[in-house]
Amino acid sequence: MCEREQEALCNRPVGVFDSGVGGLTVAREIMRQLPNERIVYFGDTARVPYGNKSRETIIKFSRQIVRFLQTQQVKAIVVACNSASAYALEVLEKEVDVPIIGVIKSGARAAIDATKNDKIGVIATEATIGSGIYNRYIKEHHPDAAVLGKACPLFVPLVEEGLWEDPVTDEIAGRYLTELIDVGIDTLILGCTHYPMIRSTVGRIMGPEVTLVNPAYETAHELKQLLREKGLESGHRPGLGTELYRFFVSDAADKFQKFANSILTYGILSAKVINIEEF
Ligand code: DGL
């Protein structure tokens, strides 16, 4: 490949997708750690949540999204959804011709590094906990670890309702987290992309002795290494007037935009609705 072709390839965007707004916590981290990279984000706002859907459905939805992202000429894909990473990543890895990563492996690795007493907790959707993937991955790399998973299905609607700091969230978090406190975990993985938004509530309830792991941070770091290894890093920040970040959703663009603007420092200009069923 000549230098010009390689540069054109490096200038392509990274595709990032989630069932809705949660993946914005991962996109935010990519923007922070990889400021030169363009991003095409897709949030499946018409079909969220994925966390209570079957493996087959999550794979079908993820395949459609990947096909859409490929029409956007992405150079790499980040599955910024734990539920989709749990069920669809292995399948997608075999089907796509660009590098693709999820959020689970990096989160699990960070937890292994952080734990001192080998007791690790995972909070996530029912789908992610039901898949047993965090447990499996942690045990594979650290057989002595004890892993306790807890599904917290009410956290996603609480976050989407904006109740990040609210007595209702405190009350529900208290109930969900009691058993993790009782077994004495010293590390807790925020295994759902919505949960970093209620990190302070979770941290307050778990106490200062417990390290909270946000896989978004580790995933952005892994993406950086991957792009470097494959020679796909964008060498410079695109000039003024270039659209650095583009957002697509399957429904309710206004609501998505409002939410995105509340968590991203970069004000998004617009989110475009597409019919994902066509892909
Ligand atoms: N983004 C999803 C995840 O990380 C949570 C929301 C959903 O259930 O779709 O698992």
Side-chain angles (χ1 to χ4, degrees), residues 95-112:
E95 297 176 352
V96 297
D97 55 0
V98 295
I100 179 164
I101 59 169
V103 284
I104 289 178
K105 286 186 183 171
S106 31
R109 256 186 252 121
I112 293 169

Side-chain angles (χ1 to χ4, degrees), residues 18-20 22-23 48-52 80-84 125 128 156 191-194:
D18 177 47
S19 55
V48 65
Y50 283 13
N52 58 10
C81 172
N82 285 266
S83 308
T125 62
T128 302
V156 166
C192 169
T193 49
H194 281 65

